[in-house]
Every structure is written in structure tokens, then in C-alpha cells.
Amino acid sequence: MKNIHHQLRDRLRAGVTHFALSAPIAAIAGLLVFGLWYPYPYREISGGRELFVILMVVDLTIGPLVTVLIFNRAKPRRELVIDITIVALLQFAALSYGLWSVFVARPVHLVFEYSRFSVVHAVDIERAVLAVAPPTLRQTTSDRTHAHRATAL
């Protein structure tokens, strides 16, 4: 009974440590999302906050939970390091995909159509339509980012 208690305590400690390492990364992601892609008031009117909350709940729950499930001090250290590394890489991949989804859904323009204002999201802009736009509006944020990266290389 005492051995099971120690195993459970070790697993929970590993899960809490995993969570503690994941939380600052989630906070940085939040700064990126709400500082650049969904500034106020777009986070409310475009659904950015809800999308980000779903992403963070999944990311901050699944990684530490899987760590609790696979952690075992009886495993050789090398095997344990490989297991935790795989969990961290999968968690990072899920976070990256989620952030990409949030990025694609970000608002890029506020336009007046007919009798109301509408938010245009990046995913709504077709490249063919973008080609006939005024020169100052031809690039979306992602185009400018790619152009900046290309010149930096």
C-alpha cells in the first residue's frame, strides 16, 4: 500500500511539474494571440477568446495528464526521458496547430458593408480578390510576415 502511495505521489508531482512548465508557454501564447492577432474588441466580436480558451484547456490538461499516466520511477532514466520528450513534442505540436488555427481565423479588416460594420477574417480573403484591392490592402498580415522572413534570410 505504501508503494502505491509513493508511485501516485511521484506521478502527481511529475504532472504538476509538467503543468508548471506549460503554463508560462501558454501565457506567452496568450500575449501573442491577444496582443497581436485579437486586440480589443476583436477578441469578443470575433470569437478569438473562446477559441483560445479551448486551445489552452486542452493543451494544459492533456500534456500533464499524459505525464501522470506514463510516469514511473521504476523505468530506466533513458526510457523516462524519451517518454517525457515525446509527450512534450506532441503537446508542442498540438499547441502549434492550435495557434495556427487561431492565426488563420484572426480578424484582418473592419469593413462597412450596406448598413453595418463587419469583421473580415484572414481565412475569408481569397487571393484572386486580393489582387484587385488597392495596393495598401493587398497584403494580409501573413503575407507581410512571410515577406519579412524571406528578407531576413
Side-chain angles (χ1 to χ4, degrees), residues 64-79:
L65 184 60
V66 171
T67 298
V68 167
L69 294 174
I70 67 163
F71 189 84
N72 185 353
R73 283 215 188 266
K75 288 182 181 180
R77 182 165 178 82
R78 178 171 155 50
E79 186 178 333

Side-chain angles (χ1 to χ4, degrees), residues 27-81:
I28 292 168
L31 290 173
L32 174 69
V33 169
F34 297 120
L36 290 177
W37 301 337
Y38 287 85
Y40 182 82
Y42 299 109
R43 66 185 69 131
E44 279 89 21
I45 61 178
S46 291
R49 182 175 42 201
E50 290 81 11
L51 189 58
F52 183 75
V53 167
I54 291 169
L55 171 65
M56 287 301 106
V57 166
V58 169
D59 199 58
L60 290 174
T61 303
I62 299 297
L65 184 60
V66 171
T67 298
V68 167
L69 294 174
I70 67 163
F71 189 84
N72 185 353
R73 283 215 188 266
K75 288 182 181 180
R77 182 165 178 82
R78 178 171 155 50
E79 186 178 333
L80 195 56
V81 168

Side-chain angles (χ1 to χ4, degrees), residues 12-24 59-60 62-68 84 87-88 91:
L12 289 176
R13 186 177 294 154
V16 168
T17 301
H18 189 129
F19 180 83
L21 293 171
S22 299
D59 199 58
L60 290 174
I62 299 297
L65 184 60
V66 171
T67 298
V68 167
I84 299 298
V87 170
Q91 185 179 9

Side-chain angles (χ1 to χ4, degrees), residues 9 25 62 67 69 77 82 88 90 94 112 121-122:
R9 186 189 64 195
I25 296 168
I62 299 297
T67 298
L69 294 174
R77 182 165 178 82
I82 290 171
L90 289 173
F112 186 78
H121 299 91

Side-chain angles (χ1 to χ4, degrees), residues 107-125:
V108 291
H109 297 290
L110 181 63
V111 297
F112 186 78
E113 63 176 351
Y114 305 111
S115 61
R116 63 189 173 101
F117 284 98
S118 295
V119 177
V120 178
H121 299 91
V123 73
D124 298 330
I125 300 175

